[in-house]
Each structure stands twice: as structure tokens, then as C-alpha cells.
């Protein structure tokens, strides 16, 4: 009975629009369980639809199997709650498993106009047959229409679809998908085209609340014909204005161990999509250990953790804002951590000071990308930015990234990249740490208020560089200021034109004279508290980098590496001003001196 999903959906809509009643509870379980109202989920759903548009509850017992499930929900609100041992059980424990069937239909789907709610609690939507239709959208769950969908303690695993192996969302202005604690898992799903765990298009808003979601071990194959979609978003693919917010939580949450063939092992964004990664005191917003697998061909893969690929000429591109986040241990042929492939905006910074963050030192981290234990990225271990991209990274550790070219950053053409208050250390594999290629059309690269030391360089000593640019249309296209360059290499920076100001460098290094230059040498350990122990804070209020500079070129863009926003006039007599060189702004504990009385 009712084997046609479209017929069922039409019937449900008619029932929901024609009857008004108070919310009811229905119980589904095995035949013979006298406490059950129904023995099939579809019969219970039809009863709920007939009860009107209010939020009805369907409790689903674990005392029978639920296979071949197709539940189209249209024009009414319903709570599906599993985990009950029997229909008469008053307390849920564990989850109830629902298995879909082959074809176009997801196991659970929503549609219809008007504001409605779907709650999925204590469920496991699993093992939908892999022989499903190539046009299938959402292997486990498909969300369309003006629905607010909430998941709690629900797992969507081992499902397959063309787009959205686990979940597909086609949003309108009111569409929301909210992951609430206890932990939900979207894992081991496969998309033959895009969005292994989750695919979202349109004006939907998705919230991964603190401690509420793990999107892990999903994959996106390259089965499509559109090169801007096929093989993208191993974990999550966001298109056409979709917004996703990921809030930091425990180590078990985040987006990790996903694989895409082409772009965006963790996340892929295109055409005004938005991603917000917000770490908290409880934990970072983590994009960790994701991978892009394609390493050969005309267009090898990019963006192991995150990739943005906006249409050419986009006025408003896609945006990533990462605050107190970890984008670590990701791998791709280019842009091991992040890739901006034409347009888009990427902002990464620290907003929580000291112990207020989940990790007092490593609050914001773009680290250990570009090396998977076997292979190095070809270029840009941490981040690769192409034509039209805008990048600002501040108050962040950039550590242990690796690539054959540009172990940390690669930028080209009209990309505008500002690196501010960073610690760059332990990066390896290339002759240069940062490369700028063919800067044109307003492209900019600035290294400001940063500490650079302890990186490993390849090749002949005279070819090693902290930063190298092969073009600079004007004196301010490439700039280095307020920074501590603690690398004993002969030439630290090279560019046709260079603006440098307030730079302390290792005595072995030469820095070309630029438009404005105040520079001096400083030997290891460069006034730092403990390089060997990974402590890149200033050792005290009297070390050379303290109160060395003014902000005539530009002040810090955000916080220092420890999250401090305030510039403090410390004990040491000012040289050119009260700004400290490098990533750390020293703060005296003596309040008299800290307030500038010297």
C-alpha cells in the first residue's frame, strides 16, 4: 500500500491542509506490542498528517526492523523519536535504525510551503542501498521547503546519492537545519558528484552547534559533468547562498577525515556561499585531516581542508570566516589547508585572549597541512590564493606545513593577501616559505607584525627565501613590516619593488632596502621566551623587540598571537614607538610601567 512516494506526498499534503487538531503522539513497533498504535512508520505518518499541521510525535520502538523506508513529509510538523525498546517504554536509550531503498527517494524528505518543523531524535538512518538512482538527492535525508529540521543524537551513515550522500538541502528563505546536542554523526556517506556528507544549495541556514555534530569519513566522487561541481566537498558542499555555521566543541566534533576527488576535502564553497567557523572556550571549530585525492591531470586537486571556487567575475563571492579555529593536517596537491581558486574571501583570526580560548597558545591554527605522511603538496602547504581572492590571516600559528614550492603560502595575480601577527615556524619542503607569482591588477602581499623562525628550507643557501615575488607593479604591492625574521639565510626577501619598515632580522640575513626602511639585526633567540619549547612570546619587557616601532605603515589588523588587542608601553625605553616587533605584544605585570609611566 502507498508504494509511490509522489502519491504518498500528495495524500499527506491533502490530509494536513484539511484537518485541524491538537498535537498527538503515535507509537510504532512490532506486531503484538499492545502499546503500539501502528506497526509501520508510513501508517503513523499518514495518521499524523491527518491530525493537522501541528507538531505530532511518532515514537519508534527498536523491537522490529525498518527497511525500505520512504517517508515524505509535506505540509505538517512531526517529531520522529527512536530509541525505545518497546512502545510502552517510557525512556529512550540508544537509537532506532531506519534503512532506505533504491531509487530517487531519500529515506526521509520534506517539502511544501509554510513554516513547519521536523525533529529527528535518537535515530540511525543507515545503509540506504548503493544501487540507487544517479539523480538521487540526499541518501538519508532530503530537506526542501520552509522547514526547520532539528537533529539530536542522530546518525546518518553509509548512504549514497548523487548530491548529498548523507543529507541534501535545497533551501528557501526559511529553511534551517540545526544540529543540537547530544552528538549527531554524519559519517561514511558517499556522493557520486558532490557533498559526501552534506550538500546545500539556496538560501538555507545550517547550524552545527557546540558539541552537536561530527561530519567524518564521507567522500565525494567525480561522477558529474560540471567541472565546478564534480568531485567537490568530501564533507560538505555549499552552493548558491547557503550559509553554514560550525561552533567549536569537544574533540569528537567537527569536520574531519573526509575525501574529495577534486576540490575541498572538508568544505567546498561556490557562488555566494558562507562558512563560519567559531571556536569557543570548550573547543576549536575543527577542519582536520581531510584530503583531496587527485594529484595528476590538467586540473589536479586543491584545498584539502577548504576550497572556494567562485564563478569568474563574481561581484559578491563566497566567504569563510574562521575564528579560534583549527584547520590542520589536511592534504591536497595545491593548497594543502585552504585554496581560493578565483575569487572568494578567507578571514582567519583569534578573538579570545589567553585562557579564555580553548587553547591559550594555539587558539587559531593553520598548521601541519600539505603532508600526508607519504607525499608533499606540490605547492602551498597552508594556503593557495588565485585571481581575485581576498585573504586576511591574523593572530594565528602557521606551523609544520609542507610543500615542494611555497611551504606555507602561494599567491598570484590580483589576489590580496595580508598576513598579520602570525607565528610561522616548522614549515618545510621548499626553498621559499611564501611565494607571490605574477602580481597584477591590484594584487597585494603583506607580511606584518609576524614572527618567522625555525622553518626548514631546501636548495642552495642563496636560493632560500622567507618571501619571494617575481613581480611587483608598485612599491606597496609587496611589503614586510613590524616583523621578526629569525632565519639565518643569506637573502630573506626578494621582490622587484619592496616596502619594508621596522624589521628585525638574523645577522646572517640581508634585506633589500625598500621605499621606507628601519631595520636592524638581532641574534637568536631573538628575544623570545623559548623557541625550542615552542614559546614564541617575548621573554620580557626589556628585550630588543619591545617598544621598537610606531605604526606609521599600519598597526596590527586584529589581535596579537596571544589574543591581546591593546598596545602597551612597556618598561623598555621606546626606540621608534610603543609597538613591539613580531607576533607578540608584551604586557608588563607592573601596572605602573604598563600604563606608560617610565
Amino acid at each position: 500500500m502507498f508504494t509511490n512516494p509522489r502519491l504518498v506526498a500528495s495524500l499527506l499534503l491533502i490530509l494536513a491542509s484539511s484537518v485541524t487538531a491538537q498535537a498527538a503522539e503515535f507509537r510504532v513497533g512490532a506486531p503484538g506490542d499492545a502499546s503500539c498504535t501502528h506497526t509501520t512508520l508510513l501508517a503513523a505518518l499518514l495518521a499524523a498528517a491527518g491530525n493537522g499541521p501541528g507538531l505530532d510525535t511518532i515514537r519508534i520502538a527498536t523491537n522490529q526492523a525498518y527497511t525500505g523506508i520512504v517517508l515524505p513529509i509535506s505540509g505538517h510538523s512531526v517529531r520522529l523519536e527512536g530509541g525505545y525498546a518497546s512502545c510502552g517504554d517510557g525512556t529512550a536509550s540508544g537509537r532506532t535504525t531506519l534503512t532506505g531503498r533504491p531509487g530517487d527517494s531519500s529515506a526521509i524528505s520534506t517539502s511544501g510551503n509554510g513554516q513547519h518543523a521536523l525533529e529527528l531524535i535518537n535515530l540511525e538512518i543507515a545503509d540506504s542501498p548503493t544501487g540507487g538512482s544517479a539523480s538521487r538527492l540526499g541518501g538519508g535525508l532530503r530537506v526542501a521547503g520552509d522547514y526547520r529540521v532539528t537533529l539530536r543524537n542522530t546518525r546518518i551513515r553509509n548512504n549514497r546519492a548523487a548530491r548529498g550522500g548523507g543529507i541534501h538541502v535545497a533551501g528557501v528563505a526559511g529553511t534551517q537545519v540545526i544540529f543540537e546536542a547530544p552528538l549527531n554523526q554524519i559519517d561514511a556517506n558517499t556522493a557520486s558528484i558532490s557533498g559526501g556528507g552534506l550538500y546545500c544549495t539556496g538560501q538555507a541556514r545550517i547550524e552545527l552547534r557546540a558539541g552537536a555534530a561530527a561530519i567524518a569519513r564521507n567522500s565525494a566522487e567525480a561522477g558529474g559533468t560540471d567541472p565546478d561541481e564534480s568531485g567537490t566537498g568530501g564533507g560538505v558542499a555549499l552552493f548558491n547562498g547557503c550559509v553554514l555555521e560550525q561552533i567549536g566543541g569537544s574533540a569528537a566534533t567537527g569536520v574531519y577525515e573526509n575525501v574529495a576527488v577534486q576540490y575541498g576535502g572538508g568544505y567546498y564553497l561556490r557562488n555566494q556561499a558562507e562558512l563560519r567557523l567559531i571556536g569557543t572556550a570548550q573547543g576549536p571549530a575543527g577542519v582536520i585531516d581531510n584530503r583531496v585525492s587527485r594529484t595528476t591531470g590538467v586540473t589536479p586537486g586543491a584545498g584539502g581542508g577548504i576550497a572556494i571556487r567562485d564563478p569568474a567575475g563574481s561581484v559578491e563571492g563566497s566567504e569563510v570566516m574562521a575564528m579560534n579555529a583549527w584547520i590542520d593536517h589536511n592534504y591536497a596537491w595545491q593548497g594543502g589547508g585552504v585554496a581560493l581558486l578565483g575569487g572568494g574571501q578567507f578571514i582567519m583570526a583569534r578573538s579570545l585572549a589567553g585562557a579564555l580560548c580553548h587553547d591559550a597558545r594555539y587558539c587559531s591554527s593553520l598548521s601541519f597541512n600539505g603532508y600526508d605522511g607519504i607525499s608533499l603538496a606540490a605547492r602551498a602547504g597552508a594556503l593557495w590564493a588565485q585571481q581575485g581572492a581576498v585573504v586576511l590571516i591574523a593572530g594565528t600559528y602557521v606551523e609544520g606545513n609542507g610543500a615542494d614550492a611555497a611551504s606555507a603560502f602561494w599567491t598570484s595575480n590580483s589576489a590580496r593577501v595580508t598576513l598579520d601577527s602570525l607565528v610561522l615556524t616548522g614549515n618545510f619542503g621548499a626553498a621559499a616559505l611564501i611565494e607571490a607569482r605574477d602580481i597584477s591588477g591590484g594584487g597585494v602581499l603583506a607580511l606584518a607584525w609576524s614572527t618567522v623562525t625555525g622553518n626548514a628550507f631546501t636548495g642552495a643557501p642563496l636560493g632560500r627565501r622567507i618571501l619571494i615575488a617575481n613581480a611587483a607593479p608598485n612599491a606597496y604591492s609587496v611589503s614586510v613590516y613590524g616583523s621578526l625574521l629569525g632565519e639565518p639565510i643569506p637573502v630573506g626577501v626578494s621582490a622587484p619593488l619592496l616596502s619594508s619598515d621596522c624589521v628585525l632580522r638574523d645577522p646572517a640575513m640581508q634585506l633589500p632596502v625598500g621605499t621606507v626602511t628601519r631595520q636592524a639585526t638581532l641574534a637568536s633567540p631573538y628575544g623570545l621566551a623559548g623557541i625550542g619549547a615552542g614559546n614564541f612570546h617575548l621573554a620580557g619587557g626589556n628585550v630588543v623587540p619591545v617598544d621598537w616601532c610606531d605604526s606609521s605603515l599600519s598597526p596590527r589588523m586584529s589581535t596579537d598571537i596571544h589574543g591581546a588587542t591593546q598596545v602597551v608601553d612597556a618598561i623598555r625605553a621606546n626606540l621608534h614607538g610603543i609597538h613591539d616587533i613580531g607576533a607578540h605584544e608584551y604586557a608588563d605585570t607592573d601596572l605602573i610601567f604598563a600604563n606608560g609611566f617610565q
Side-chain angles (χ1 to χ4, degrees):
M1 181 179 181
F2 301 127
T3 58
N4 186 321
R6 292 182 178 86
L7 178 62
V8 173
S10 299
L11 180 57
L12 291 171
L13 185 59
I14 293 169
L15 289 170
S17 61
S18 61
V19 180
T20 301
Q22 294 183 343
E25 180 178 278
F26 305 93
R27 302 183 181 189
V28 180
D33 186 336
S35 297
C36 298
T37 61
H38 299 84
T39 58
T40 69
L41 273 171
L42 188 55
L45 186 63
L46 288 168
N51 192 52
L55 181 63
D56 297 313
T57 297
I58 299 176
R59 289 174 46 169
I60 310 169
T62 60
N63 57 8
Q64 67 169 345
Y66 301 90
T67 59
I69 295 299
V70 177
L71 296 179
I73 300 164
S74 183
H76 68 109
S77 298
V78 65
R79 176 186 295 120
L80 302 178
E81 184 172 2
Y84 295 94
S86 66
C87 288
D89 192 357
T91 303
S93 59
R95 295 167 172 153
T96 301
T97 299
L98 312 179
T99 302
R101 71 179 193 187
D104 291 347
S105 301
S106 305
I108 300 174
S109 62
T110 69
S111 63
N113 299 320
Q115 295 182 349
H116 299 289
L118 169 64
E119 297 181 11
L120 304 176
I121 304 171
N122 305 332
L123 297 176
E124 191 152 327
I125 304 169
D127 299 314
S128 292
T130 58
S133 169
S135 61
R136 185 173 188 161
L137 304 178
L141 172 65
R142 181 179 180 183
V143 180
D146 192 358
Y147 264 81
R148 176 188 171 102
V149 179
T150 305
L151 295 88
R152 301 186 195 97
N153 189 35
T154 288
R155 186 179 184 188
I156 299 178
R157 64 168 176 85
N158 292 100
N159 302 288
R160 184 179 177 90
R163 296 170 179 84
I167 302 174
H168 184 280
V169 181
V172 296
T175 307
Q176 297 180 72
V177 179
I178 300 172
F179 294 78
E180 294 184 346
L183 178 66
N184 302 276
Q185 298 157 284
I186 312 300
D187 65 301
N189 302 285
T190 301
S192 62
I193 297 175
S194 179
L198 188 154
Y199 182 108
C200 178
T201 182
Q203 301 177 55
R205 180 182 176 88
I206 300 171
E207 298 180 27
L208 312 183
R209 294 184 175 172
I215 300 178
R217 295 178 290 278
N218 303 286
S219 60
E221 301 170 344
T225 58
D226 183 349
D228 296 315
E229 184 187 38
S230 180
T232 63
V236 178
L238 306 174
F239 290 85
N240 306 320
C242 184
V243 177
L244 186 146
E245 183 173 85
Q246 177 188 334
I247 305 298
S250 68
T253 64
V255 174
Y256 57 90
E257 296 180 14
N258 302 285
V259 179
V261 170
Q262 189 65 59
Y263 302 126
Y267 282 102
Y268 178 74
L269 292 80
R270 182 169 174 83
N271 196 22
Q272 300 183 41
E274 295 183 33
L275 171 62
R276 301 166 188 165
L277 305 173
I278 312 296
T280 65
Q282 287 71 46
V287 181
I288 298 172
D289 207 16
N290 301 284
R291 179 183 176 88
V292 169
S293 61
R294 179 166 287 167
T295 58
T296 59
V298 178
T299 55
I306 300 171
I308 298 175
R309 186 177 172 87
D310 278 330
S314 298
V315 177
E316 294 184 15
S318 298
E319 299 180 3
V320 175
M321 181 180 70
M323 308 300 290
N324 317 312
W326 287 358
I327 304 174
D328 291 352
H329 295 282
N330 303 287
Y331 176 83
W333 190 87
Q334 49 199 359
V338 179
L340 290 89
L341 302 137
Q345 179 172 284
F346 178 82
I347 298 172
M348 186 172 192
R350 175 175 186 160
S351 64
L352 298 174
L356 295 176
C357 193
H358 52 83
D359 189 300
R361 182 178 298 175
Y362 295 101
C363 183
S364 178
S365 175
L366 179 60
S367 299
F368 306 107
N369 300 291
Y371 181 61
D372 62 358
I374 300 173
S375 303
L376 275 176
R379 56 187 176 188
L383 180 142
W384 183 39
Q386 282 189 310
Q387 181 82 21
V390 176
V391 175
L392 169 61
I393 306 177
T396 297
Y397 275 82
V398 181
E399 179 176 355
N401 301 286
D404 290 328
S407 57
F409 298 104
W410 177 293
T411 178
S412 63
N413 303 115
S414 61
R416 302 175 64 86
V417 177
T418 301
L419 309 173
D420 188 287
S421 302
L422 308 187
V423 169
L424 291 105
T425 188
N427 301 287
F428 66 99
L433 185 65
I434 304 166
E435 291 202 31
R437 292 293 172 183
D438 305 321
I439 291 179
S440 62
V444 170
L445 173 60
L447 176 64
W449 307 107
S450 292
T451 298
V452 184
T453 189
N455 298 282
F457 300 87
T458 60
L462 287 175
R464 299 172 182 176
R465 299 288 190 276
I466 289 173
L467 184 156
I468 184 170
N470 71 339
N474 62 66
Y476 293 95
S477 297
V478 180
S479 57
V480 179
Y481 56 91
S483 292
L484 173 58
L485 307 183
E487 300 289 3
I489 57 178
V491 182
V493 177
S494 61
L497 290 171
L498 172 69
S499 174
S500 64
D501 188 24
C502 294
V503 174
L504 288 173
R505 54 185 170 81
D506 188 275
M509 179 191 300
Q510 295 297 314
L511 186 66
V513 175
T515 305
V516 180
T517 295
R518 288 171 285 184
Q519 57 176 293
T521 61
L522 181 63
S524 181
Y526 313 114
L528 303 177
I531 295 175
N535 187 347
F536 299 93
H537 289 185
L538 294 169
N542 273 314
V543 296
V544 171
V546 170
D547 291 352
W548 204 91
C549 194
D550 57 27
S551 60
S552 57
L553 199 54
S554 179
R556 294 187 193 274
M557 298 291 292
S558 181
T559 71
D560 78 345
I561 197 66
H562 199 58
T565 58
Q566 188 174 17
V567 177
V568 176
D569 192 353
I571 297 171
R572 187 171 184 268
N574 299 341
L575 181 60
H576 302 296
I578 66 171
H579 294 258
D580 301 346
I581 297 293
H584 181 221
E585 180 72 28
Y586 184 79
D588 288 307
T589 56
D590 186 326
L591 295 179
I592 295 176
F593 289 116
N595 282 282
F597 296 95
Q598 298 191 27

